[in-house]
Amino acid sequence: MKLLVVVGTNAPFSYNRFLAKFIAKRYADKADFEVKEIDQIKPFSRTAEPDEATKNWIEDIKNADGVILTTPEYDHAIPAALKSALEWLGSHAGPDVMKMKLAAVVGTSYGIQGSSRAQEDAREILLSPDMSANVLPGNEILIGGAASNFDKTTGDLSNEDYIKQLDAMMDNFIKFVEQANK
């Protein structure tokens, strides 16, 4: 089982990058994980052709059994870079690779709401008619206070309560993907 964990920002430093790498490391015995950055993907334009980095992004998503988005919250929504990267995947852009693609959304933020509004924004985008992804229902992981819940040396999530929530969500997502692939 091939799962992509998408770092949902192009920022050079992000606790969501820590989260993506933690997921890939902690659950490596359950699936083949790849952490995917979006910083090299060109901004979406309906009239533009995708460059090589963007073509690779589309192919990587197409070939994955499932996608996990890790998103920060910028002004109550997902970052513009993540929105643009997702735009390249929808039916309006041509490749239509998200149609029924298994997906999950997690995130962390500095504030107490743990990127809740950005995660809802991401779910709405993934479920939109141009995407039509198959998003794991429920299973919200809202990691607030990112700066105090990650080990800044290792990048590991250090809050045991959040780790237990993430363990349950990942077990559910892996079962979700296995069930869909039967």
Side-chain angles (χ1 to χ4, degrees):
M1 172 186 326
K2 173 75 174 188
L3 300 177
L4 289 185
V5 189
V6 177
V7 178
T9 180
N10 60 355
F13 175 84
S14 174
Y15 284 106
N16 282 280
R17 183 171 293 106
F18 283 0
L19 179 58
K21 289 180 178 181
F22 179 78
I23 289 169
K25 181 170 69 173
R26 183 166 177 89
Y27 309 105
D29 62 328
K30 298 178 187 249
D32 177 20
F33 288 91
E34 179 184 347
V35 174
K36 187 73 178 167
E37 298 280 351
I38 62 171
D39 60 332
Q40 299 300 310
I41 300 169
K42 71 186 259 180
F44 176 75
S45 171
R46 189 179 286 234
T47 58
E49 289 296 316
D51 62 6
E52 201 59 36
T54 306
K55 287 178 185 175
N56 290 338
W57 161 249
I58 293 166
E59 281 304 307
D60 287 346
I61 297 289
K62 187 185 296 185
N63 294 326
D65 294 310
V67 177
I68 302 163
L69 298 181
T70 67
T71 183
E73 185 167 312
Y74 295 176
D75 300 320
H76 297 198
I78 64 172
L82 179 57
K83 176 69 166 108
S84 182
L86 290 172
E87 290 290 336
W88 283 109
L89 306 173
S91 62
H92 57 277
D96 200 14
V97 299
M98 290 307 292
K99 186 173 181 127
M100 296 310 292
K101 179 65 68 179
L102 301 168
V105 179
V106 297
T108 186
S109 67
Y110 288 98
I112 60 172
Q113 292 185 315
S115 76
S116 62
R117 293 168 290 213
Q119 289 185 49
E120 183 60 29
D121 187 32
R123 285 183 184 90
E124 286 181 20
I125 292 165
L126 291 169
L127 292 167
S128 72
D130 284 325
M131 292 281 169
S132 297
N134 192 357
V135 181
L136 178 69
N139 292 276
E140 291 183 336
I141 306 297
L142 308 172
I143 303 171
S148 61
N149 285 306
F150 286 87
D151 181 308
K152 288 161 197 66
T153 305
T154 65
D156 289 344
L157 183 60
S158 57
N159 181 305
E160 287 299 321
D161 290 334
Y162 287 138
I163 291 170
K164 287 178 188 172
Q165 291 175 30
L166 190 61
D167 286 347
M169 190 282 298
M170 287 303 300
D171 284 344
N172 289 337
F173 187 62
I174 288 167
K175 289 175 191 167
F176 190 59
V177 175
E178 288 171 344
Q179 183 65 34
N181 289 330
K182 282 187 177 180

